[in-house]
Amino acid sequence: QVHLVESGGGLVQAGGSLRLSCAASGGTFSRYVMGWFRQAPGKEREFVAAISWGGLKTYATMSVKDRFTISRDNAKTTMWLQMNSLKPEDTAVYYCAGGASMGKYDDWGQGTQVTVSS
């Protein structure tokens, strides 16, 4: 198991940027596939982006693919989500998650709120 803590959320105007961080402790971070998810009010949690163990492969949902960048540093046991050109529809609680493989996330952070004003 790995303990995950997100940070970096906040209030930003449309068109602005934020960088979310996910700090991991415990477990073996470098063996975890990591991902970002988000949940908007009244909606189900949705996948945002994922990154492979070594960081060579990344995936992102279509709605953010050209605006968000996922990255990780295994030496720092940290993952990031750089979010540019933010839109009001990006408003949500963002969660980081870790697991043994894509689509199988066992460990979750507590979430960080991102609010984009129009």
Side-chain angles (χ1 to χ4, degrees):
Q1 261 189 330
V2 62
H3 181 61
L4 303 172
V5 178
E6 303 94 336
S7 62
L11 173 63
V12 64
Q13 288 188 332
S17 298
L18 281 174
R19 190 190 196 201
L20 304 184
S21 298
C22 174
S25 60
T28 306
F29 180 76
S30 61
R31 295 183 180 178
Y32 280 76
V33 171
M34 297 296 296
W36 287 99
F37 292 76
R38 66 186 181 185
Q39 187 167 19
K43 295 187 178 181
E44 293 187 353
R45 186 179 296 181
E46 65 171 349
F47 169 78
V48 176
I51 188 165
S52 61
W53 305 317
L56 295 180
K57 295 183 179 180
T58 62
Y59 307 88
T61 191
M62 284 300 293
S63 63
V64 309
K65 199 169 186 178
D66 296 327
R67 300 183 295 121
F68 293 7
T69 302
I70 188 171
S71 61
R72 67 189 293 168
D73 185 330
N74 287 342
K76 296 181 179 179
T77 64
T78 302
M79 173 181 67
W80 298 274
L81 184 69
Q82 177 67 43
M83 305 187 296
N84 299 328
S85 303
L86 282 161
K87 303 176 181 180
E89 51 263 43
D90 295 318
T91 295
V93 177
Y94 283 71
Y95 299 88
C96 68
S101 61
M102 295 284 178
K104 191 180 185 305
Y105 297 97
D106 298 313
D107 301 308
W108 294 81
Q110 83 289 348
T112 185
Q113 176 70 48
V114 171
T115 302
V116 184
S117 64
S118 57

